[in-house]
Amino acid sequence: MQLSGSVALVTGAGSGLGEAVARRFAAQGARVAIVDLKLEAAEAVAKSIGPNALALRADVASEADVQAAIDATVKQWGALHIAVSCAGITTGVKTAGSKGPHPLDTFARVVGVNLIGTFNGSRLSAQAMLANAPNAGGEKGVLINTASVAAFDGQLGQVAYAASKGGIVGMTLPLARDLARNGIRCMTIAPG
């Protein structure tokens, strides 16, 4: 998939890896939806990129928020070709120790944002991509999800983060198999 002329939606694009991806895509000629939980951060990035960027607020774990971001992107530019999931959180909490067991709600929150949020964005983006006409290579779209080296080599205090990123790795092949016949590719990167 060529970036020039494509429409991309990048979550977690108000800072860090997501921001870097959005900037690179825009520099290569893509129109980019800058999606972040912090709208002010998304707006700052979009403003610095220029007219080929759209700032949107979304909680990736919310079906309504992500659908609204996709709808706004498609309304603005007519399609969605690329979805990059960079939104994520981490905590540094041991499984058990002098402060007690790892709080279950903290574990669930990390898994909710990182794993469920990634799946939520993948499924809703893929649904939007089904409406695309295939390009010369037969592609309708591509999903790029972000795991981490922690999926394979989690460190002390990373049990929630490693589990969430391992889940992203684990769903990559089934997503790719589910969507291949529709011309939608799925891949996962593991920084670190």
Side-chain angles (χ1 to χ4, degrees):
M1 170 112 4
Q2 296 296 316
L3 289 174
S4 182
S6 293
V7 176
L9 182 146
V10 183
T11 64
S15 64
L17 179 64
E19 178 182 354
V21 168
R23 289 185 184 285
R24 175 59 64 97
F25 281 20
Q28 296 293 316
R31 291 162 287 173
V32 185
I34 311 295
V35 181
D36 203 278
L37 186 59
K38 298 174 184 171
L39 182 58
E40 304 79 24
E43 289 171 336
V45 173
K47 183 178 179 182
S48 71
I49 290 174
N52 283 336
L54 173 66
L56 300 166
R57 186 214 169 270
D59 174 349
V60 295
S62 164
E63 180 173 10
D65 280 9
V66 174
Q67 188 63 62
I70 291 168
D71 292 346
T73 302
V74 172
K75 182 178 180 183
Q76 179 80 14
W77 291 309
L80 175 62
H81 305 106
I82 304 165
V84 184
S85 297
C86 292
I89 60 172
T90 188
T91 59
V93 182
K94 289 185 183 179
T95 304
S98 62
K99 295 180 182 179
H102 190 302
L104 189 57
D105 61 338
T106 301
F107 187 92
R109 183 169 175 265
V110 172
V111 170
V113 171
N114 297 356
L115 177 57
I116 295 172
T118 297
F119 177 68
N120 190 37
S122 293
R123 73 189 183 93
L124 296 174
S125 295
Q127 188 64 41
M129 291 171 185
L130 290 176
N132 295 342
N135 66 16
E139 291 181 298
K140 290 186 175 186
V142 60
L143 305 172
I144 304 168
N145 295 324
T146 304
S148 166
V149 69
F152 313 101
D153 190 18
Q155 301 299 308
L156 181 74
Q158 283 190 328
V159 66
Y161 184 73
S164 69
K165 296 302 185 172
I168 293 169
V169 170
M171 72 180 180
T172 303
L173 187 56
L175 281 170
R177 287 177 171 155
D178 282 353
L179 299 169
R181 70 188 62 192
N182 302 112
I184 300 169
R185 290 184 298 119
C186 179
M187 63 189 70
T188 295
I189 61 172

